[in-house]
Structures are given as C-alpha cells and as structure tokens.
Amino acid sequence: MKARFAFLLALLPALPAVAGDLDTRIGEKLFRRMWVSAPTVTHANDGLGPLYDARSCAACHPAARQGRPPDPDTPDDRGVGYALKLSGDPVYGRQIQTNAVLGFAIEGKPALSYRDETVRFPDGDTATLRRPVVTVTDLNYGPLAEATAISARIAPSVRGMGLLERIPEADILAGADPEDRDGDGIAGRPNWVAPEGTRQLGRFGWKAVHPTLHRQNSEAFSLDIGMSTPAYPEPWGDCTPAQTECRNAPHGDSPQYEGLEIPSTVIGLIDGYLRTLPPDGGLEAPRDTAGSALFAATGCASCHRPSFTTGEDAAHPALSRRTIFPYSDLLLHDLGEDLADGVAMGEARGRDWRTTPLWGMKRLAESDGKLALLHDGRARSVTEAILWHGGEADKARGAFMALPRNDREKLVRFVLGL
Ligand code: HEC
Ligand code: HEC
C-alpha cells in the first residue's frame, strides 16, 4: 500500500538546502488539504470525522485569516469558520459538529438571528448594536442537556502566532493584576492550563486556553475535523461515549502513522507553517502618534498593550528578539454580561475573554468593507465593538462615548490603521 504522505516525507531529506522553505510550502498545502473519510472496508484513508465541522483548516481560516458569522438575511448561509462550542454536553461533547460522513447524522445546525438595540452617546449621536440570539436546530442526537451553554465563535486570523508564542512568559505576567491591586478597575489574569500535566500559560484561542500553537492545532484536528493526532489520539474526535456508533465507526488510524490519522510529521509541518506566517500588521510602531496617545488616554491600552519583544530563538531567527505591536496583553479580562457566554475554559470563566490582538485591523478593513468583530463576529464596526465592551472595560467604553465626535473618529481611524 502506498503511504499517504510518502511523497511529502520523501522530498524532505533529499533537498536539505531548501528544506525550511519547502517545509513551509508543504505545511501550507496541508493547511488547505481537504481530508476524506476512512472507507468502510480495506485500508485506511485519512479518517475525517465521522462527525466534523469542516474538511480543512483553510475552510474556516481562509488564507489563514478570520471567518465570519452566517448572514441571517441569506437563507442557508453558514458563515465561515463559525463554530458552536458547548460548556460540555453529555451527548454532544464540547462542540456541535455540523457535518458528518456518509451514513451519519450531523449533530445540528446553528440558527442565528439578531435583535437591534440603539445606544445613545452623550452628544446625542446614536449607534445600532445587534445582539445575537443563537440556537441549534436539527439536533439529531436528542435535546441538549439543560445545563449546556452554547458559545458561538468565529475563527480568528491565524497569522503572527509564532511571534505571540515567543513572547516571554514573564513579560505577559508582568501585566497581570488579578486582584486589581492598583485599583484602576482592570485586572488581567493569566489562564493557567496543564494539558500535559505541567502548568503552562494559555495564549491561543478566544479564552487563551491553549499554551502552544501545537496544542491549538491538534485540538482543531480533533474538534473541527474529527482526526487523531499525538496530542488528541481519539480517532472519533468529539464523539462522546453516548455516541456509540460514531465511536465504533471505521477510522483512519494506521500503524504507518504512529497508530494515528495525523502523525507527528504532518501536524509538525502545519505548526511550522503557521509559526512562520507573519501577521498582517504590527511589525512596526504605528506612525499616527496622536491616535496612539488618544488610544492610551481612553484606557484602551490598559488591555490592548501596544508592544512586546519576543525572546531569543536561535532556531527561528525571524521570530527572535523582535519588537512587535500586537495590541494585546494576552491576558483574560471580564468584559461583562453582554459578551458573556457562560462557558469556562481552563481558568477562564463565562465572562472572560483574552484581549484580542488588533494587529491586522488595517488589512481586515481593506479586504472587505464588512467587518465581523468580537468572538462571535457580532460587531460590524470598531465603534460597535467598543460599545459591547463592559465589565473591566466599562470605564474605557464610557470614556470613548464621552469623547467629542471627531476624537471618536480619530480613535477609530487609529484602530483601523493597525
Ligand atoms: C470549523 C471551523 C474551523 C476549522 C476547520 C479549524 N479552525 Fe482553527 N479556529 C476556529 C475557531 C472557531 C477558533 C477559535 C476557537 C476558540 O478559541 O473558541 C479557532 C482558533 C484557531 C487558532 C488560534 C488563533 C488565536 O488567535 O489564538 C489557531 C492557531 C487555529 N485555529 C488553527 C487551526 C488549524 C491548524 C486548523 C486545521 C487543523 C484549524 N484551525 C481548523 C475554527 C476552525
Ligand atoms: C478591560 C480590557 C479591555 C479594554 C480596556 C479594552 N478592550 Fe478591546 N477587547 C478586550 C477583549 C477581552 C476583547 C475580546 C472580546 C470578545 O471578543 O468578546 C476586545 C476586543 C476588541 C475589539 C475587537 C477585535 C476583533 O478583532 O474582534 C476591538 C476593535 C477593541 N477591543 C478595541 C478596543 C478599544 C478601541 C478600546 C478603548 C476604547 C478597548 N478595546 C478597550 C479587552 C479590552
């Protein structure tokens, strides 16, 4: 039987001079690869699902950038990279899988609608916010447990992750103030997680629950695509013991690939590709110094920390000792009830979110005029995103609302230039 990845593996040792570059190109191909299901008889083939959300990484992260929620005005639109996380359901597990291989029923489909709400600024201006109402239809494995909370999330951009991974832990922790000892109303807590037994600082995902790119990418194979990796060796992905048929289905684990569907070589190539993929912005300090000062004076920089310097990494000179401008402290903040999803992850609670890096906003705004900001893509503009901020960010939102209109515009323009 011809090995599925033999062609990839065979190329590498033969071309040592370009191995780095070649690895990246192969990693990109694997990021875009459409995985297929294991056939019911004979030899293994990939091992997609049985339940899954999408067949490739790129289906949810197009060009390694962010997704968007479904458009409620377009019938059957499913959005891009729009996933329903669960607080942990005894039947449905940690995520609703909206697709299934032949012979299996999907778990369900997201149904999204919005309720418009008007916000009035002190100067009389108004803005319209749309509050999402998310439910699941076509639940084919019975009702969700009463206690199960649903959290809709869009796929974030996956560019610049290698730089974020290399920020020294101590520099992130220096910004933490869990008890708010300085009394500025802003706490900032690290999300301590221990997926491999030892305590690590969470950095990736909307709630910073993954300490490394490798863990995040491996979980994506399990939850989103339904394939096993060294870190998540179950070939049935997110199927629970209650979903016996799914657990007993043919899978693609293969002795040639460490008894897995995705062996360490393949996940390693994807990790490597994303690690070196530069961010869309944030490699230089912004030139708009007046905007920058306004951003700080309004209180935004207390969480959206402008810069960090990465640590030494001899193996990756491009990532080593670089001053970057991600505009995030990579810490968790309580952003209030309006953004809360009631889903805890690691030490992150229902109201906590990791400060979203703002680098890449310029590219995002230029690429299509329709912005989809915040964890569920509900905000159509920077102004809307700010108006949803509550909890620890209450004061900053109030300060923004109290600014004269042209200063508000200046601040928004600054953010859209990052
Ligand atoms: C079904 C859609 C979907 C697929 C398929 C998918 N992702 Fe994601 N991805 C998401 C969502 C949603 C999040 C945010 C998860 C969270 O934190 O709740 C995410 C988060 C991430 C992050 C973290 C980004 C950050 O800002 O911290 C990385 C890295 C990532 N995905 C890589 C991958 C890779 C690699 C694959 C393929 C193996 C993949 N994803 C497949 C939807 C998807
Ligand atoms: C207390 C910390 C805190 C403060 C203060 C704060 N933010 Fe945020 N910001 C966050 C967190 C956390 C998120 C992610 C929330 C979510 O997705 O639900 C976020 C998200 C955003 C987003 C959406 C980014 C995206 O790509 O989805 C924008 C834009 C933003 N903030 C701008 C600002 C501006 C401008 C200010 C000042 C007026 C500000 N923030 C103040 C913590 C803060």
Side-chain angles (χ1 to χ4, degrees), residues 179-235:
E179 319 294 335
D180 189 21
R181 286 187 205 281
D182 65 7
D184 65 352
I186 298 194
R189 282 180 318 282
N191 193 355
W192 290 114
V193 292
E196 281 146 6
T198 40
R199 194 172 91 141
Q200 284 176 286
L201 176 66
R203 297 174 190 234
F204 299 107
W206 287 106
K207 296 206 184 212
V209 77
H210 295 292
T212 58
L213 203 44
H214 175 69
R215 292 290 314 184
Q216 170 80 58
N217 296 345
S218 303
E219 193 198 58
F221 267 116
S222 181
L223 286 188
D224 300 322
I225 307 180
M227 297 180 79
S228 59
T229 57
Y232 292 81
E234 300 81 16

Side-chain angles (χ1 to χ4, degrees), residues 299-300 303-304 335 353-356 373-375 386 389 392:
C300 312
C303 302
H304 295 280
L335 273 224
W353 300 98
R354 177 195 71 173
T355 307
T356 314
L373 303 177
L374 299 174
H375 64 270
I386 298 169
H389 282 54
E392 292 173 37

Side-chain angles (χ1 to χ4, degrees), residues 29-44:
K29 286 214 162 62
L30 291 166
F31 187 83
R32 293 207 315 250
R33 184 185 163 99
M34 304 276 271
W35 303 95
V36 300
S37 59
T40 46
V41 275
T42 69
H43 65 80

Side-chain angles (χ1 to χ4, degrees), residues 27-346:
E28 182 186 4
K29 286 214 162 62
L30 291 166
F31 187 83
R32 293 207 315 250
R33 184 185 163 99
M34 304 276 271
W35 303 95
V36 300
S37 59
T40 46
V41 275
T42 69
H43 65 80
N45 200 335
D46 288 8
L48 173 75
L51 307 184
Y52 64 98
D53 279 300
R55 289 178 52 199
S56 71
C57 307
C60 290
H61 302 279
R65 296 198 170 86
Q66 70 159 71
R68 61 164 180 83
D71 176 0
D73 298 328
T74 308
D76 294 326
D77 180 36
R78 302 178 122 198
V80 176
Y82 185 73
L84 298 183
K85 303 268 171 196
L86 304 173
S87 52
D89 185 87
V91 175
Y92 291 90
R94 298 169 52 208
Q95 187 164 311
I96 294 285
Q97 276 77 38
T98 56
N99 274 306
V101 303
L102 205 67
F104 281 85
I106 63 162
E107 285 190 330
K109 289 186 193 162
L112 169 66
S113 60
Y114 290 108
R115 275 202 327 261
D116 283 356
E117 291 174 17
T118 303
V119 177
R120 194 167 295 277
F121 289 84
D123 65 7
D125 280 0
T126 58
T128 305
L129 299 184
R130 46 174 202 178
R131 185 183 293 274
V133 181
V134 179
T135 53
V136 194
T137 64
D138 302 80
L139 282 166
N140 284 316
Y141 298 80
L144 288 170
E146 211 155 302
T148 301
I150 305 171
S151 177
R153 316 258 176 104
I154 56 166
S157 164
V158 290
R159 290 173 179 258
M161 300 293 114
L163 290 164
L164 298 184
E165 197 173 42
R166 269 149 198 76
I167 297 173
E169 188 172 294
D171 292 349
I172 297 173
L173 297 179
D177 182 17
E179 319 294 335
D180 189 21
R181 286 187 205 281
D182 65 7
D184 65 352
I186 298 194
R189 282 180 318 282
N191 193 355
W192 290 114
V193 292
E196 281 146 6
T198 40
R199 194 172 91 141
Q200 284 176 286
L201 176 66
R203 297 174 190 234
F204 299 107
W206 287 106
K207 296 206 184 212
V209 77
H210 295 292
T212 58
L213 203 44
H214 175 69
R215 292 290 314 184
Q216 170 80 58
N217 296 345
S218 303
E219 193 198 58
F221 267 116
S222 181
L223 286 188
D224 300 322
I225 307 180
M227 297 180 79
S228 59
T229 57
Y232 292 81
E234 300 81 16
W236 49 76
D238 190 36
C239 287
T240 59
Q243 295 171 309
T244 41
E245 268 182 64
C246 169
R247 287 217 169 188
N248 294 331
H251 55 74
D253 282 356
S254 155
Q256 273 172 303
Y257 302 116
E258 306 159 14
L260 299 164
E261 293 169 334
I262 300 291
S264 47
T265 341
V266 169
I267 186 81
L269 286 161
I270 296 178
D271 295 345
Y273 158 61
L274 289 185
R275 189 163 287 134
T276 52
L277 200 58
D280 277 324
L283 294 178
E284 283 167 40
R287 260 167 282 169
D288 177 1
T289 47
S292 173
L294 190 56
F295 187 81
T298 313
C300 312
S302 310
C303 302
H304 295 280
R305 174 172 162 172
S307 79
F308 279 105
T309 300
T310 62
E312 176 91 49
D313 182 351
H316 299 95
L319 304 176
S320 186
R321 293 192 175 285
R322 292 197 66 165
T323 298
I324 54 170
F325 301 85
Y327 283 82
S328 168
D329 58 5
L330 293 187
L331 294 168
L332 298 172
H333 296 276
D334 175 339
L335 273 224
E337 205 45 46
D338 284 337
L339 287 174
D341 64 354
V343 173
M345 290 180 140

Side-chain angles (χ1 to χ4, degrees), residues 356-375:
T356 314
L358 301 178
W359 60 5
M361 285 292 298
K362 184 173 180 206
R363 174 67 175 64
L364 192 63
E366 282 168 358
S367 60
D368 81 51
K370 272 191 176 172
L371 289 177
L373 303 177
L374 299 174
H375 64 270

